[in-house]
Each structure stands twice: as structure tokens, then as C-alpha cells.
Amino acid sequence: MLGITGRSYRNWCARLKRGEELEDGRLDRGDYKPSFALSKEEQDALVARFCSPDVADLSLPQAYMRLLDNQEYYGSLSTVYRVMRKRGLNTRRTTTRTPTRRYKPTSYEATGPNQVWSWDSNKATGEFMYGYVIIDIYSRYIIHAEVHDRDCAEFAQEFLAKAFRKYGIQPRCLVLHSDNGASMKAKEILALLENWGVEFSHSRPRVSNDNPYSESLFRTLKHTGRGYPKKGFRSFLAARVWLDGFVKTYNHNNYQSGINWVTPASRFRGEDAAVLAARKAVLEAARAKNPRRWINGRVRDCTPAPSQFLNPDKPNAQAKA
């Protein structure tokens, strides 16, 4: 009713009891700084570390998790964002555009690896080169990747068969999702999936992001893949060597927000719980060292990520339906 908080009212009463003059009564907190805030030296160290060559080309969450797993702690992730924003350094570190939201198709749940795969082919920079990539949505692990000179059902059939044999896919245990490309819906591919007992899932017509994991992967490959040639690969050998290096880096060194900031390889092998437990120990040690900086007393959530969904239905959308 008064338009003030209970704390302001109590402060006014306390000042009146002390005999102080009371006008507005509210303190000017514009320049307030907690005693446990990062000092200028600590802020300088944070900025210098996050601008170091080994993490300068990573997003702030990627760099934060890498340093945290390297036993380096400079503050919470929100503190990192705040300090970098104050210094004018919180800019997008990639060439990607802001994603757009669209409708979603049938939903599939993955409770473990090798249950739901997403695959796609995409033209590489340069002429007559196509990259074929399969990603496991539970772990974001790149299952298989190859480069060919054209996008056709013959290469796609051989590519998928190699992946099925490599991981010992059993009938009725895998969902394979793709977009509506010609090679994805070719009769050779449908026959292959039927022979292996793999369920076929595909995007709806003219909806580009019904295949979000593969689209996101190719965006990462082209925009943040270190050494990706903007003017094209000089040869198939160069393209294949680069792709092999990218897959290795992506699987073992790239932290994924969707699986609670662990690498795809650790999630795929079931090691994410141990990684997160070690990370929590680092955070708790930092909290014990300076508890006043942990205002709510909690550390980051370090529990393994739950099941992953391919194009999950939104609860509010279901309610409206």
C-alpha cells in the first residue's frame, strides 16, 4: 500500500528512534559494493584468463567448464558474464546467427546411448564435397562421419551400414532421424533400415529445424570448427583429415550445455557422473574458502543430465490442444 518494502519501513523506524532526520529514508545503493565482491586484481585475472589463446575462441560457458575441469576457478559463471560485460567483452565469439523457433514433429526419448540417432549430409565449403555425419542425441557423440564427392543414396547406404556394424545395432533398438533429403528417403535407405530393424523418423516438409541436433552440429562444424577453410578444401584428403580432427575434438573436448556441460565422449561412455562429482568438489572447496561470495549457499547443479528428447512436445502446447 505504501509502495515501499518492509525493510525500508524498518530502516525508517530505526532512524527515527535514533533521532535522525528523516526525509526520503531510502539509502542510495547505486554505488553499493559487497565486501566479498571480486577485487580489481581478481577481475583483471579473470579477464586475462578468459581472453587467453587457449580459450579465447570458446564461448564463455565452454571456457568456464574447461577451466573448471582444469582445477581453475575465478568465480561463478554469472560473475564471469558480469565482469566480461562490464569490460565490453561479452560479445558473441562465433559467426552464428540467433536461432529461430519453429514447430516440432513426433517426439522420441533417449534414456541411453545408441537409442536415437540423427544424421544428415551437408555440402562442405568447396565444390563437390559432402559431409555425412551421425550424432547420438543422448550424448551428443558423433557416431560416424565421412566425406564423399556427391550426395546420393549409394554412399548414404554404405555410410549407415558401417555405423550399424560398428556399434552392433540390434533390431527394434534404434530410431534414426533425418530430414527430407532425397538420399535420406531413397528406397535403398528404407530397405536398409528395414533389414536392420531400425525405426525411420524424418522431418516434416519445409520445416528446416525438425532435425535440430544435426543442424546444430553442422553449424558448429562450419562456424566454430577450428581451421575450417572459408574458401574451401583443396582436396578430398584435406577435407577428410580435417573432419577426422574435428570429430575427435568435438567428442572429447567440446562441452555441451544440454548434458550439463560434459563432453560427448564422457557421456557416451557413462563417465559423466564421475566428472560432475569431481567438478562439484572443486566448487565446494571454493565455497569453503570464501563462503560470503556464495550468497544463496548453493553450488552449481552437478547431477548427470536426464533423458534426452528429439523434438519434445511443449507442455503448454499439449494443454492448449
Side-chain angles (χ1 to χ4, degrees):
M1 291 174 63
L2 296 176
I4 62 174
T5 65
R7 178 177 295 180
S8 295
Y9 175 74
R10 290 191 296 272
N11 288 340
W12 290 3
C13 292
R15 294 181 65 184
L16 286 173
K17 289 180 179 180
R18 293 194 299 266
E20 300 179 11
E21 283 203 27
L22 188 64
E23 294 180 358
D24 186 288
R26 285 171 285 185
L27 300 176
D28 181 10
R29 311 296 277 182
D31 59 348
Y32 172 74
K33 182 179 179 181
S35 59
F36 51 82
L38 292 182
S39 64
K40 184 178 183 306
E41 292 74 18
E42 289 175 314
Q43 294 185 31
D44 291 341
L46 184 153
V47 171
R49 187 64 185 95
F50 278 83
C51 291
S52 300
D54 59 330
V55 295
D57 58 344
L58 301 176
S59 65
L60 291 181
Q62 290 282 338
Y64 181 83
M65 297 302 168
R66 178 171 295 185
L67 295 177
L68 196 59
D69 285 351
N70 197 34
Q71 309 296 310
E72 297 183 56
Y73 180 81
Y74 295 87
S76 66
L77 184 57
S78 60
T79 297
V80 174
Y81 269 107
R82 183 166 55 251
V83 173
M84 298 294 277
R85 182 167 54 248
K86 182 179 179 182
R87 301 289 181 93
L89 299 172
N90 188 27
T91 57
R92 184 176 288 273
R93 298 188 176 196
T94 69
T95 58
T96 59
R97 295 179 295 177
T98 302
T100 57
R101 293 186 177 182
R102 301 172 189 262
Y103 297 104
K104 291 178 168 53
T106 305
S107 176
Y108 293 95
E109 180 183 9
T111 60
N114 295 332
Q115 293 181 3
V116 183
W117 289 357
S118 174
W119 78 290
D120 197 4
S121 64
N122 198 286
K123 188 175 182 180
T125 302
E127 296 185 0
F128 312 119
M129 292 188 190
Y130 287 85
Y132 292 74
V133 182
I134 302 174
I135 185 172
D136 175 68
I137 74 162
Y138 174 79
S139 60
R140 312 299 198 273
Y141 187 82
I142 297 178
I143 297 295
H144 193 47
E146 292 181 0
V147 177
H148 292 285
D149 60 357
R150 62 184 184 276
D151 183 14
C152 69
E154 179 184 356
F155 287 146
Q157 183 182 24
E158 181 182 355
F159 168 74
L160 292 175
K162 286 182 181 178
F164 295 160
R165 288 192 296 267
K166 181 178 179 181
Y167 290 92
I169 299 302
Q170 300 297 316
R172 298 176 297 279
C173 292
L174 176 67
V175 174
L176 183 67
H177 183 80
S178 68
D179 59 22
N180 284 288
S183 60
M184 284 73 175
K185 298 180 68 176
K187 61 181 181 181
E188 295 89 346
I189 300 301
L190 297 179
L192 173 71
L193 299 182
E194 184 177 355
N195 290 337
W196 280 85
V198 174
E199 183 177 348
F200 175 57
S201 169
H202 62 89
S203 305
R204 293 167 295 174
R206 296 177 297 279
V207 181
S208 61
N209 65 345
D210 270 2
N211 195 12
Y213 294 97
S214 292
E215 296 295 339
S216 177
L217 174 61
F218 276 110
R219 182 184 65 180
T220 301
L221 184 150
K222 291 188 173 183
H223 291 280
T224 63
R226 184 173 297 180
Y228 186 83
K230 302 302 181 183
K231 296 184 178 180
F233 293 99
R234 294 186 177 183
S235 65
F236 275 106
L237 178 60
R240 287 168 177 165
V241 169
W242 184 90
L243 183 60
D244 289 344
F246 170 81
V247 170
K248 183 178 180 180
T249 300
Y250 185 91
N251 282 341
H252 298 276
N253 298 321
N254 192 61
Y255 295 90
Q256 297 285 330
S257 62
I259 51 177
N260 204 2
W261 299 107
V262 297
T263 62
S266 61
R267 171 81 163 176
F268 188 79
R269 295 193 298 257
E271 301 170 355
D272 52 328
V275 172
L276 290 166
R279 185 179 296 170
K280 184 177 182 180
V282 175
L283 293 170
E284 289 179 340
R287 180 179 60 178
K289 184 178 180 180
N290 201 333
R292 296 185 64 198
R293 288 178 177 170
W294 303 76
I295 298 176
N296 59 14
R298 298 193 303 269
V299 299
R300 290 182 62 89
D301 179 18
C302 292
T303 56
S307 301
Q308 300 295 297
F309 288 86
L310 176 66
N311 301 316
D313 297 324
K314 294 182 178 179
N316 56 356
Q318 293 177 346
K320 291 180 180 178

